[in-house]
């Protein structure tokens, strides 16, 4: 079995966040959803340097969660049919450094929110570290969601990216152009391979430049951002060659509560 480490490269104004996950050799993970996807004669959004306009939601969708490597914890994949594609979900992270509140947006990424909520309700994120902090200009994020704390852990399944990547035509050059992921964004990390979303996510505490290939699925509240900024002020240990490292002030997610 090959393990892909979460890497986060910073340079030339373009930052990349790649989540580590396991791969079983020819078992690429894929997923589909009923959310809007660029296809046929539809055109990609015009490049503005900002994220494209978010989806407004609609009818329930179907998702696909394919097996991918070993699960860091014993959890089941979420239900994959009649997944809501509108409305929001409140999430409260109780952490060792203070509370962090999230609001997840089903319209942006129904399959992603569905997975996150399922994992949270199964206790997957409880007593897990936020293993990576990046404080570089142009990329300022705290990355969490790997119970192993190694940057290679996942839930044992994978699924495809959603908003904003699914608004672009496949192979569009804009998918390699940086856009601003605004302060307060919650997004998924991935390995850069199709279907490699899993459980690792990152919290953007200052406007960051990334290509639009990382699923946006919610926002962080102001109190939570203040907590993250306090952690960021103490820096990281620089242990990751591609940029950033473990926070000098350790962050442990103690429990996760879901509402709505």
């Amino acid at each position: 079995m090959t393990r892909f480490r979460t890497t986060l490269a910073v340079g030339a104004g373009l930052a990349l966040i790649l989540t580590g996950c396991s791969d079983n050799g020819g078992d690429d993970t894929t997923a589909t959803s009923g959310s809007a996807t660029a296809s046929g004669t539809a055109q990609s959004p015009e490049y503005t340097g900002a994220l494209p306009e978010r989806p407004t939601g609609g009818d329930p969708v179907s998702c696909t969660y394919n097996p991918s490597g070993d699960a860091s914890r014993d959890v089941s994949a979420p239900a994959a049919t009649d997944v809501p594609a509108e409305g929001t979900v409140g999430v409260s992270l109780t952490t060792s450094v203070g509370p962090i509140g999230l609001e997840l947006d089903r319209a942006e990424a129904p399959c992603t929110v569905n997975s996150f909520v399922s994992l949270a309700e199964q206790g997957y994120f409880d007593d897990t570290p936020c293993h990576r902090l990046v404080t570089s200009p142009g990329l300022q994020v705290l990355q969490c969601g790997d119970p192993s704390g190694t940057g290679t852990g996942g839930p044992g399944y994978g699924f495809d990216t959603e908003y904003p990547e699914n608004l672009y035509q496949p192979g569009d050059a804009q998918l390699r152009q940086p856009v601003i992921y605004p302060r307060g964004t919650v997004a998924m990390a991935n390995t850069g391979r199709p279907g490699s979303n899993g459980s690792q996510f990152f919290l953007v505490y200052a406007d960051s430049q990334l290509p639009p290939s990382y699923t946006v699925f919610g926002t962080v509240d102001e109190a939570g951002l203040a907590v993250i900024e306090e952690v960021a002020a103490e820096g990281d240990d620089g242990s990751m060659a591609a940029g950033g490292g473990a926070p000098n002030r350790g962050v442990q997610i103690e429990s996760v509560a879901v509402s709505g």
Side-chain angles (χ1 to χ4, degrees):
M1 177 187 301
T2 302
R3 305 286 291 186
F4 290 88
R5 173 175 294 276
T6 298
T7 60
L8 189 150
V10 184
L14 178 61
L16 303 178
I17 297 183
L18 307 179
T19 178
C21 72
S22 60
D23 180 73
N24 287 331
D27 190 22
D28 284 350
T29 57
T30 59
T32 60
S33 81
S35 53
T37 302
S39 61
T41 58
Q43 295 188 3
S44 299
E46 180 182 357
Y47 182 76
T48 65
L51 287 170
E53 184 176 351
R54 62 177 291 278
T56 58
D59 295 335
V61 303
S62 293
C63 306
T64 301
Y65 304 101
N66 283 340
S68 177
D70 297 327
S72 296
R73 285 186 171 171
D74 186 14
V75 290
S76 300
T81 58
D82 293 324
V83 174
E86 60 182 3
T88 59
V89 179
V91 173
S92 298
L93 305 180
T94 299
T95 81
S96 59
V97 293
I100 299 175
L102 312 179
E103 184 176 76
L104 309 186
D105 189 339
R106 294 188 185 275
E108 288 179 330
C111 295
T112 302
V113 174
N114 186 50
S115 173
F116 188 98
V117 169
S118 173
L119 291 173
E121 291 178 338
Q122 294 180 74
Y124 180 88
F125 298 116
D126 294 353
D127 193 27
T128 64
C130 290
H131 61 278
R132 192 165 205 178
L133 175 70
V134 183
T135 61
S136 303
L139 184 61
Q140 298 184 23
V141 302
L142 179 67
Q143 191 164 336
C144 316
D146 174 9
S148 75
T150 64
T152 63
Y157 62 84
F159 56 100
D160 264 353
T161 51
E162 296 182 279
Y163 169 79
E165 184 171 35
N166 60 3
L167 299 185
Y168 295 85
Q169 289 288 333
D172 193 312
Q174 288 191 58
L175 290 171
R176 299 186 295 275
Q177 295 295 316
V179 297
I180 298 297
Y181 277 59
R183 176 179 184 271
T185 298
V186 183
M188 292 296 292
N190 62 65
T191 68
R193 301 178 63 182
S196 61
N197 282 335
S199 61
Q200 293 187 44
F201 61 96
F202 58 95
L203 310 175
V204 181
Y205 64 90
D207 289 359
S208 296
Q209 290 186 305
L210 291 162
S213 52
Y214 302 96
T215 299
V216 173
F217 68 107
T219 55
V220 188
D221 66 10
E222 284 298 326
L225 286 168
V227 169
I228 299 168
E229 287 165 351
E230 290 180 2
V231 171
E234 299 189 30
D236 64 81
D237 67 3
S239 60
M240 299 185 182
N248 289 330
R249 182 180 180 186
V251 181
Q252 193 80 359
I253 298 175
E254 297 169 350
S255 62
V256 180
V258 176
S259 61

